[in-house]
Amino acid sequence: MDIFLQQIINGLVLGSIYALVALGYTMVYGILGLINFAHGEVVMIGALVSYSVMMVLVPSGLPPVLLALISVLVAAPVCMALAWAIERYAYRPLRHAPKLTPLISAIGVSILLQNLAMMIWGRGYHAFPDILPAIHFDIGGAQITLLQTVTIGLAAATMGILAWMIQRTSLGQAMRATAENPAIAELMGIPVNRIITLTFIIGAALAALAGLMVGANYSVAHYYMGFMLGLKAFTAAVLGGIGNITGAMLGGLLLGLIESLGAGYIEDLTGGILGSHYQDIFAFLVLIGVLVFRPGGLMGERVSERA
Amino acid sequence: MTLFARHALSLSAIALASLSLTACGKKEVPPVAGNEVIITIGHAAPLTGPQAHLGKDNENGAVMAIDELNSRGISIDGKKAKFVLVSEDDQADPKAGTTVAQKFVDRKVNGVIGHLNSGTTIPASRIYSEAGIPQISGSATNPTYTQQGFKTTFRVFANDIHQGQALAQFATQSLKAKTIAIVDDRTAYGQGLADEFKKAAEAAGAKVVAQEFTTDKATDFKAILTKIKASNPDILFFSAMDAQGGPALKHARELGLKATFLIGDGGCTPEFIKLAGNAADGQYCSLPGVPLEKMPGGTVFKDKYQKRYNQQIQLYAPYVYDAVLVMADAMQRANSAEPAKYLPEVGKSQYQGVTAKVVFDAKGDLAAPAVSIYQDKGGNWSYVETVGAAAAAK
């Protein structure tokens, strides 16, 4: 039983990170109908900037928690500025181009950022410092570290604030209006361009936080880390229903749990025919299953309207 | 995405190589000049890209051997032998590797030293075999290289079979492990090493209680580690590179998995210790060969190398140095530098090199290769013991 509980904890931590990144994909898709493939790279930049800041500050002897806080306060504006630049120069000029064009532009930005990071931080793997003391809690035989608790808690809090902002504030209202119909929203006096930029920037702030979490939880950062993470988070967004905020959170958590439990139990379930190397297949099988019965994803309805 | 970049690179490499090919054809070197015989040795390794430092190190080893041969004033078939090294960059890329191989064949080199990587050595070996040119690698560890049935392939380094067996021997005898968990990264290297380890460990009476898999790009190992923890093994053998092994070890300890951690040469790096942090303390890794200080001529070679290049030996230079001398030794015994004439003599080598006594088995592998085990003590890999893989094989 403790093993089962441990896999649930592993899955929840992984899922919280997926959910944070998936939000960035889903918010942009909801408003622009664009899959921002460069988002995974923004997470990577967030992780590497946090890493660099911490490395610079380690000799100062500040407590690690404070280091993490400072690093995210530096990484978030860097990522936000980056997202602003990406939107302004790679996507906005293509706003009225056929849908495939900005997608290709997004892939281009992704390659550009990867190579840029490779030039700045090199090809090596960087050991991410421990940001929290290694305290373990014992829950029914399963181990949960302080870091994991904080990761899950922080992700939940961030997502809660985001949901509140979108449903309750005038900015959220403007975002929803822009998503509904940009042309009409503009006629109603909503500064559509500024709302779109803000959407990118909010997504980037979440990405910076996710970058720090990935680095801290998996204790490694490198220039290629955004690619697979981005792909998984995108999958989570589709699973939950792309364009839907609650869907992205749900999809992220679900994907994390599926991967974790899949790797842990696939061998027992198939009587040893499939091993843990089918972990990813398991996740994608669930995705296909969901999409066959609910083409819009678990919570999505908007996709069919848009298509 | 990097696929595109690689493609473009290798395309330009082929274009460049074909350019230099035509350039080569024009100035044909006469094989015999007066009373002198020119012996051309080809050397191939990546001299550009991320592994350039290792390739240059190999080349340095080869240059030292060639200079020594020339200073000895060897005569072959009554003529003074002049050894010439032709060094080519294979970029660690299989496609560029075969281009280099073809270039050597067209130039009619007397023998080839290299390549550095298994991935380039194996496809190139077919070309040398068809041309009948002997090839000795000082660093390629994939067993396939010598198992293709070619008569021209030799290696002066332990291969992955030897390493897997040596690790298993160390685990079962020195660490007295009864239960073992294995993780591999599904690459040719990781999977190959894990298979050999498993075979040898089971033959020695240990039980493999868990076998899990990851990829060479993975960062999350908690799910498989949690599963392994449930089976409570004595040893966790992690058959992957340092970039996965280091973080995995750290996470294993966070989950309360206490098994002794073992990793192959892919993790026997300072990078591994950096990534695993304090968790690496007391854990083990293996490297084919023996440490420089334990080699018969290691310290002398080390001094000579440092004096000449003013830098530390990276990794394979002494092996490449031996490879060149083994080849020249065979030529001397055959009294000919003709590939067809001296090839049978390479297989019969009994050469006392700086790394070890070089004696080949029927396949062209070392008859008694050594693999050494290292342990992390306070943030550095320190030598524990050398395991004779030949002993484990019987």
Side-chain angles (χ1 to χ4, degrees):
Chain A
M1 198 58 202
D2 56 334
I3 294 298
F4 180 71
L5 201 61
Q6 187 71 59
Q7 296 291 25
I8 297 273
I9 293 170
N10 295 339
L12 278 179
V13 173
L14 190 62
S16 305
I17 294 167
Y18 283 162
L20 273 186
V21 183
L23 281 172
Y25 279 99
T26 221
M27 285 197 316
V28 167
Y29 186 89
I31 287 185
L32 283 179
L34 161 74
I35 295 163
N36 178 16
F37 271 119
H39 190 62
E41 286 5 291
V42 177
V43 178
M44 174 268 294
I45 298 279
L48 284 170
V49 169
S50 313
Y51 163 79
S52 294
V53 171
M54 277 195 261
M55 278 321 179
V56 168
L57 291 179
V58 159
S60 70
L62 290 169
V65 189
L66 206 60
L67 289 187
L69 201 67
I70 297 172
S71 73
V72 82
L73 285 180
V74 175
V78 170
C79 287
M80 287 153 105
L82 189 67
W84 173 83
I86 294 172
E87 195 277 325
R88 179 67 190 80
Y89 296 105
Y91 301 150
R92 197 181 292 182
L94 301 171
R95 182 84 43 89
H96 302 291
K99 279 201 168 171
L100 207 54
T101 319
L103 189 71
I104 291 168
S105 179
I107 294 173
V109 171
S110 164
I111 295 174
L112 181 79
L113 288 179
Q114 265 183 33
N115 284 283
L116 211 63
M118 193 177 80
M119 283 159 70
I120 299 172
W121 286 279
R123 286 166 189 270
Y125 286 72
H126 303 288
F128 218 83
D130 295 323
I131 58 171
L132 287 171
I135 301 170
H136 295 259
F137 304 107
D138 197 80
I139 310 174
Q143 304 273 335
I144 183 164
T145 62
L146 181 61
L147 178 67
Q148 288 175 317
T149 323
V150 170
T151 303
I152 297 173
L154 207 58
T158 315
M159 290 189 277
I161 293 170
L162 188 74
W164 168 80
M165 193 199 79
I166 286 181
Q167 292 306 324
R168 300 267 179 254
T169 64
S170 57
L171 171 64
Q173 199 175 25
M175 282 168 78
R176 280 181 289 139
T178 310
E180 194 73 35
N181 190 325
I184 306 281
E186 189 142 36
L187 290 176
M188 295 295 174
I190 291 171
V192 169
N193 269 334
R194 204 193 306 159
I195 295 298
I196 290 173
T197 309
L198 272 172
T199 308
F200 271 88
I201 287 178
I202 294 168
L206 296 178
L209 190 64
L212 178 72
M213 285 179 178
V214 177
N217 272 292
Y218 299 114
S219 48
V220 63
H222 61 112
Y223 79 96
Y224 201 70
M225 65 190 276
F227 181 70
M228 201 58 200
L229 182 66
L231 215 57
K232 290 278 175 66
F234 174 62
T235 308
V238 174
L239 185 64
I242 190 146
N244 185 303
I245 304 274
T246 329
M249 301 178 194
L250 190 72
L253 286 175
L254 209 59
L255 189 69
L257 285 172
I258 293 168
E259 282 197 352
S260 186
L261 293 174
Y265 292 99
I266 194 168
E267 199 181 337
D268 303 336
L269 285 177
T270 59
I273 300 166
L274 300 178
S276 51
H277 41 317
Y278 289 99
Q279 166 177 16
D280 288 348
I281 293 181
F282 206 68
F284 286 105
L285 269 181
V286 172
L287 176 72
I288 292 170
V290 168
L291 291 186
V292 163
F293 294 105
R294 287 190 66 94
L298 288 174
M299 317 267 301
E301 283 136 55
R302 206 180 267 145
V303 178
S304 49
E305 278 172 37
R306 280 192 167 272
Chain B
M1 261 149 226
T2 45
L3 261 181
F4 293 110
R6 244 186 241 160
H7 214 77
L9 254 179
S10 51
L11 269 181
S12 55
I14 289 166
L16 267 177
S18 48
L19 262 179
S20 43
L21 256 179
T22 47
C24 253
K26 278 173 198 154
K27 48 171 175 85
E28 192 66 50
V29 190
V32 183
N35 208 22
E36 203 178 55
V37 56
I38 308 260
I39 298 169
T40 331
I41 308 268
H43 172 264
L47 299 174
T48 55
Q51 298 182 28
H53 60 298
L54 296 177
K56 191 71 193 163
D57 186 51
N58 279 17
E59 193 193 84
N60 289 346
V63 168
M64 278 172 71
I66 294 282
D67 287 358
E68 194 179 317
L69 287 169
N70 285 331
S71 70
R72 274 191 212 160
I74 295 165
S75 61
I76 283 177
D77 202 13
K79 295 186 186 108
K80 190 170 178 296
K82 184 168 189 283
F83 288 87
V84 178
L85 187 76
V86 186
S87 190
E88 291 287 345
D89 178 14
D90 69 15
Q91 302 165 26
D93 175 45
K95 290 191 277 334
T98 49
T99 312
V100 166
Q102 194 56 51
K103 200 170 159 184
F104 283 152
V105 170
D106 292 345
R107 200 174 165 164
K108 295 197 170 52
V109 297
N110 297 83
V112 172
I113 302 297
H115 301 202
L116 190 149
N117 308 81
S118 297
T120 48
T121 307
I122 294 167
S125 64
R126 172 172 292 278
I127 297 174
Y128 301 131
S129 167
E130 279 163 9
I133 297 175
Q135 175 190 12
I136 307 179
S137 175
S139 52
T141 59
N142 193 304
T144 309
Y145 168 52
T146 49
Q147 287 173 352
Q148 304 171 97
F150 299 156
K151 290 189 171 56
T152 48
T153 49
F154 297 92
R155 153 162 54 205
V156 291
F157 202 61
N159 68 30
D160 291 343
I161 295 180
H162 304 136
Q163 197 183 172
Q165 289 169 342
L167 274 163
Q169 190 188 340
F170 177 74
T172 51
Q173 289 175 15
S174 303
L175 298 178
K176 310 227 178 310
K178 296 271 176 290
T179 51
I180 289 173
I182 300 175
V183 176
D184 85 63
D185 68 358
R186 299 275 97 186
T187 62
Y189 162 76
Q191 194 177 345
L193 194 57
D195 289 348
E196 294 305 330
F197 177 85
K198 188 180 175 188
K199 254 189 268 171
E202 281 177 340
K207 191 161 178 272
V208 174
V209 291
Q211 186 162 18
E212 299 298 326
F213 310 93
T214 181
T215 73
D216 57 344
K217 290 180 186 63
T219 49
D220 179 28
F221 310 100
K222 289 202 169 140
I224 55 171
L225 291 171
T226 300
K227 194 153 174 251
I228 287 171
K229 191 191 164 196
S231 60
N232 195 27
D234 297 336
I235 295 263
L236 169 57
F237 175 53
F238 206 86
S239 191
M241 303 302 284
D242 47 9
Q244 275 69 44
L249 170 56
K250 196 169 169 180
H251 299 158
R253 296 298 181 251
E254 278 171 20
L255 287 167
L257 176 62
K258 293 186 181 69
T260 307
F261 196 89
L262 219 61
I263 191 163
D265 57 334
C268 220
T269 61
E271 192 87 357
F272 175 86
I273 295 177
K274 200 176 87 188
L275 292 172
N278 293 335
D281 203 53
Q283 312 308 307
Y284 299 93
C285 76
S286 70
L287 268 185
V290 291
L292 211 56
E293 299 75 35
K294 306 266 175 202
M295 289 177 188
T299 27
V300 178
F301 180 80
K302 188 179 165 192
D303 292 345
K304 253 200 294 188
Y305 185 99
Q306 281 175 2
K307 212 160 135 195
R308 169 147 188 180
Y309 297 106
N310 204 19
Q311 63 181 33
Q312 296 283 331
I313 294 170
Q314 291 285 344
L315 205 55
Y316 305 119
Y319 296 94
V320 173
Y321 175 82
D322 272 0
V324 176
L325 293 178
V326 163
M327 190 174 268
D329 180 59
M331 289 174 181
Q332 274 176 272
R333 279 183 284 117
N335 204 21
S336 168
E338 283 292 309
K341 288 195 184 135
Y342 85 86
L343 176 60
E345 290 297 329
V346 180
K348 292 183 212 151
S349 292
Q350 297 274 342
Y351 183 79
Q352 182 59 55
V354 297
T355 56
K357 181 157 188 187
V358 177
V359 180
F360 293 113
D361 66 7
K363 287 196 188 103
D365 266 313
L366 286 177
V371 176
S372 299
I373 305 289
Y374 297 78
Q375 184 181 31
D376 176 34
K377 282 184 186 143
N380 285 303
W381 289 118
S382 56
Y383 175 77
V384 180
E385 62 175 288
T386 297
V387 186
K394 66 173 188 282

